[in-house]
C-alpha cells in the first residue's frame, strides 16, 4: 500500500476466502465477511442523486424535451429493492429488518409527510433505488443533523432528503436508546465536524451513535482480534438464509449498506453464484445455507475463522 492508503473496494461473495482453497464450503459454519479498514464514508464518493419523483423513482423527460422520454417511475417498494436481514452479536439479535406480513415499520413517505411523523431524537432514513440509504437525526423545528460528504451538517429535513422518500427507523436497532434530549445534544454537539475530526464512516453509524451512544458505531471502536462475534444473516427466502461473519459492527454496517445500495436482486444473484457454483467433476457438495432468523447457525470451524482484508 506504500505511504498512501487507498479506498478499499468490495469483494464479491465468490471472492471471499473460505476454509477450503477450492472455494467450496465444506463445513456447516457461516462465511467470513470483508473488513473495510481505512474505507471512507460510503456515501461521500457517490454522485448526487438524480431528481426523484413522488414515489422515489427517477423523473423522466417531459414531452417535447430533448431525447427520448423515460419510462414512468415505479413506486418505491422496500420488498422489491431492500434486503431482509438480521444482525447478531454472538447470540443476541441487535438489528432486524423484516418484511413480515402486517409490518408497517418500513413504509416510506414523502419528505413533507414524514415531517408529521418525526419527533426530536428520532432516527430518519431516506431511501431510493440504487443509492446508499441516508440516515439523519431529527432535532426539531423541521431540521435534522446528518453526516454528509465528510461533514456533520444541520439541514432542513426536506433538503437533506434530496427528494428521496423516508421513514422513522427507531426500531431497527434493538439497543436501549438514550433520552430524546440526549440524542439531540449528541447530534448538535458535532455539527461542523468534518474529515479528520469525524469518528464515523457513514451517516448510519453517526445517527445510530447519537441515539444509542455505543462506541461500536465509531471508527476503531472495537479491536479486530480473534473470532468474529458479529453475524449478518441475509434472508434468501422464507426458509433459507445465508450468514457472513465480521469482527466489528462497523464492518458489518458497511456490508449491509452496500447490499441496500446494489439492491435485493443483485444480492440474491451474488449469493446464488456463491451458493451454487459450477461443481468440479465428482463434487456434490456445492453449497450451504444457514437456518432462518431466530435460530443461529452453529459456530464455524476454527480454521475458517479468518477475516478477509483487502490490501
Amino acid at each position: 500500500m506504500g505511504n498512501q492508503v487507498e479506498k478499499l473496494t468490495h469483494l464479491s461473495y465468490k471472492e471471499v476466502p473460505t476454509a477450503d482453497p477450492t472455494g467450496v464450503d465444506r463445513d456447516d459454519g457461516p462465511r467470513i465477511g470483508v473488513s473495510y479498514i481505512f474505507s471512507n464514508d460510503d456515501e461521500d464518493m457517490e454522485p448526487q442523486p438524480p431528481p426523484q419523483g413522488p414515489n422515489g423513482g427517477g423523473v423522466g423527460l417531459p414531452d417535447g424535451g430533448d431525447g427520448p422520454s423515460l419510462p414512468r417511475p415505479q413506486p418505491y417498494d422496500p420488498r422489491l429493492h431492500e434486503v431482509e436481514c438480521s444482525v447478531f452479536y454472538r447470540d443476541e439479535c441487535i438489528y432486524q429488518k423484516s418484511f413480515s406480513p402486517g409490518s408497517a415499520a418500513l413504509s416510506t413517505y414523502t419528505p413533507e409527510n414524514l415531517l408529521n411523523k418525526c419527533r426530536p431524537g428520532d432516527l430518519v432514513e431516506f431511501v431510493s433505488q440504487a443509492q446508499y440509504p441516508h440516515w439523519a437525526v431529527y432535532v426539531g423545528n423541521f431540521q435534522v443533523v446528518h453526516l454528509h460528504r465528510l461533514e456533520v451538517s444541520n439541514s432542513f429535513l426536506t433538503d437533506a432528503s434530496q427528494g428521496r422518500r423516508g421513514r422513522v427507523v427507531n426500531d431497527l436497532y434493538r439497543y436501549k436508546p438514550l433520552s430524546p434530549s440526549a440524542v439531540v445534544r449528541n447530534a448538535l454537539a458535532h455539527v461542523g465536524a468534518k474529515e479528520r475530526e469525524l469518528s464515523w464512516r457513514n451517516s448510519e453509524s453517526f445517527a445510530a451513535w447519537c441515539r444509542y451512544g455505543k462506541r461500536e458505531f465509531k471508527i476503531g471502536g472495537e479491536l479486530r482480534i480473534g473470532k468474529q462475534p458479529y453475524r449478518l444473516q441475509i434472508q434468501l427466502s422464507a426458509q433459507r438464509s445465508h450468514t457472513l461473519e465480521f469482527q466489528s459492527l462497523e464492518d458489518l454496517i458497511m456490508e449491509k449498506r452496500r447490499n441496500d445500495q446494489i439492491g435485493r436482486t443483485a444480492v440474491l444473484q451474488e449469493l446464488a453464484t456463491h451458493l451454487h457454483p459450477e461443481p468440479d467433476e465428482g463434487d456434490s457438495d456445492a453449497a450451504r445455507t444457514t437456518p432462518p432468523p431466530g435460530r443461529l447457525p452453529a459456530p464455524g470451524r476454527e480454521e475458517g475463522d479468518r477475516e478477509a482484508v483487502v490490501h
Side-chain angles (χ1 to χ4, degrees):
M1 296 175 63
N3 296 324
Q4 182 177 5
V5 177
E6 298 180 355
K7 179 179 175 69
L8 303 183
T9 56
H10 175 80
L11 293 175
S12 70
Y13 290 102
K14 186 176 180 180
E15 297 173 294
V16 177
T18 67
D20 190 295
T22 64
V24 178
D25 283 330
R26 298 182 181 276
D27 58 24
D28 294 327
R31 291 176 60 80
I32 308 303
V34 176
S35 176
Y36 292 83
I37 300 174
F38 306 128
S39 176
N40 288 324
D41 185 326
D42 49 18
E43 296 168 277
D44 291 338
M45 299 298 104
E46 297 301 308
Q48 290 285 347
Q52 301 292 311
N55 292 319
V59 178
L61 293 174
D63 293 339
D66 295 333
S69 60
L70 300 178
R72 293 182 63 87
Q74 298 297 316
Y76 181 83
D77 185 349
R79 290 170 174 79
L80 294 179
H81 304 307
E82 299 183 28
V83 179
E84 189 174 8
C85 65
S86 301
V87 175
F88 294 88
Y89 177 71
R90 303 192 189 282
D91 293 334
E92 178 187 5
C93 181
I94 61 173
Y95 173 101
Q96 186 172 42
K97 179 188 287 187
S98 173
F99 301 141
S100 58
S103 175
L106 297 179
S107 299
T108 61
Y109 306 90
T110 63
E112 294 75 16
N113 289 334
L114 182 61
L115 280 171
N116 298 325
K117 300 180 177 298
C118 290
R119 300 292 181 268
D122 283 350
L123 297 187
V124 176
E125 181 185 35
F126 300 110
V127 293
S128 184
Q129 186 176 359
Q131 295 180 24
Y132 286 104
H134 187 71
W135 288 49
V137 178
Y138 185 74
V139 295
N141 297 322
F142 313 109
Q143 297 180 57
V144 296
V145 173
H146 58 134
L147 174 58
H148 181 58
R149 299 196 174 277
L150 292 178
E151 182 174 1
V152 177
S153 304
N154 191 353
S155 311
F156 284 107
L157 183 147
T158 50
D159 294 335
S161 72
Q162 295 185 328
R164 292 172 285 192
R165 296 176 68 86
R167 59 196 175 205
V168 176
V169 288
N170 293 336
D171 297 328
L172 289 182
Y173 284 98
R174 296 187 174 184
Y175 295 122
K176 181 179 179 180
L178 304 174
S179 67
S181 59
V183 177
V184 172
R185 283 198 304 270
N186 282 343
L188 292 175
H190 289 85
V191 170
K194 55 185 177 181
E195 298 181 352
R196 295 184 180 273
E197 302 171 337
L198 297 174
S199 298
W200 309 271
R201 294 200 192 283
N202 52 66
S203 61
E204 179 175 342
S205 293
F206 170 72
W209 175 85
C210 289
R211 182 170 175 83
Y212 304 107
K214 299 186 73 67
R215 67 181 183 180
E216 288 87 340
F217 290 107
K218 289 188 171 185
I219 296 174
E222 297 173 281
L223 295 177
R224 296 180 174 89
I225 297 177
K227 299 185 68 173
Q228 289 78 7
Y230 291 96
R231 299 178 182 182
L232 174 61
Q233 192 173 76
I234 301 171
Q235 199 67 21
L236 306 179
S237 66
Q239 299 298 326
R240 300 175 64 238
S241 65
H242 186 70
T243 298
L244 294 174
E245 287 191 343
F246 296 83
Q247 284 190 323
S248 72
L249 180 60
E250 175 189 18
D251 293 340
L252 185 150
I253 289 174
M254 295 287 284
E255 173 68 10
K256 179 173 67 68
R257 291 171 59 77
R258 186 200 76 99
N259 289 345
D260 284 335
Q261 189 266 333
I262 67 174
R264 183 176 185 274
T265 300
V267 170
L268 294 182
Q269 288 175 346
E270 279 191 1
L271 289 174
T273 301
H274 161 63
L275 294 173
H276 303 286
E278 295 183 4
D280 295 333
E281 184 176 352
D283 187 359
S284 60
D285 186 13
R288 171 192 50 75
T289 59
T290 60
R295 300 208 320 267
L296 279 174
R301 295 176 183 171
E302 188 172 349
E303 64 186 14
D305 289 331
R306 296 195 301 270
E307 178 187 32
V309 182
V310 186
H311 295 288

